[in-house]
Structures are given as structure tokens and as C-alpha cells.
């Protein structure tokens, strides 16, 4: 009988995103689409070719910052206050007991 090896070779790129330079494939697609949208909208307003390219680059750079590996570095500057959550306890009262107690309305002063 043939013994199976204890170590199996696995593809090293399993579970990783495709990369194009320093960008992932998702980020590259997002930046390409956002550049096109920014360029097209700026060009429709008749701003000019140079300004349209600059606006497209600005929009794609913004999309890259927001879709990066650590977007919380950007969002923590926009929304610095993080709410503090704490656990609270309330005594349970059944709906039947509430119905028996009646309504406790505040009397009108007028």
C-alpha cells in the first residue's frame, strides 16, 4: 500500500483577492468606474478636459480611501465620537399585570 504524505501542498493564493499593483481587483474596478463617472459629469458641465481629468482623479482617489483595507482611519476623523454602549436591566412585567393596573395618565392642568 502507498502511504500518503502528511503535508499536502495547497495553492498559496487561495482566499486572497486578485491584486493589480498595490490595489486589489475590487479597488481597481471601483476607482476605474468612479474616475469615469467623475470625468463624465465634469465634462458634461463643460469645464474642460484638464479639469475633468483632475475631478475624475479626485473622485477615484476618494473612492480608494473609502474602500481601502482600513477605512476606519478616514471615518474616525469624520465621526470622532463613538457611542458607549452599556448593558441595562429592566424588571419584566407581563401584559396582564399592566392591564390590571390601569392607565396612569397625567391629569391635564387646563
Amino acid at each position: 500500500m502507498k502511504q500518503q504524505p502528511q503535508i499536502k501542498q495547497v495553492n498559496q493564493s487561495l482566499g486572497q483577492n486578485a491584486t493589480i499593483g498595490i490595489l486589489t481587483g475590487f479597488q481597481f474596478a471601483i476607482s476605474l468606474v468612479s474616475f469615469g463617472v467623475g470625468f463624465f459629469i465634469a465634462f458634461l458641465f463643460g469645464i474642460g478636459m484638464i479639469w475633468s481629468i483632475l475631478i475624475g482623479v479626485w473622485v477615484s482617489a476618494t473612492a480608494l480611501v473609502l474602500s481601502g483595507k482600513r477605512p476606519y482611519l478616514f471615518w474616525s476623523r469624520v465621526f470622532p465620537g463613538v457611542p458607549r454602549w452599556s448593558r441595562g436591566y429592566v424588571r419584566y412585567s407581563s401584559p396582564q399585570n399592566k392591564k390590571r393596573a390601569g392607565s396612569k395618565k397625567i391629569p391635564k392642568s387646563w
Side-chain angles (χ1 to χ4, degrees), residues 24-87:
T24 63
F26 174 73
Q27 283 181 310
F28 185 75
I30 291 284
S31 65
L32 196 63
V33 168
S34 61
F35 174 80
V37 167
F39 177 81
F40 183 71
I41 289 174
F43 198 71
L44 279 180
F45 285 118
I47 295 174
M49 184 66 76
I50 300 290
W51 283 105
S52 298
I53 291 172
L54 288 175
I55 289 173
V57 167
W58 175 68
V59 170
S60 65
T62 303
L64 283 175
V65 167
L66 296 179
S67 68
K69 287 184 181 179
R70 295 180 285 175
Y72 56 85
L73 293 176
F74 173 80
W75 287 113
S76 66
R77 293 180 184 202
V78 176
F79 301 110
V82 178
R84 184 175 194 130
W85 294 89
S86 61
R87 183 174 293 201

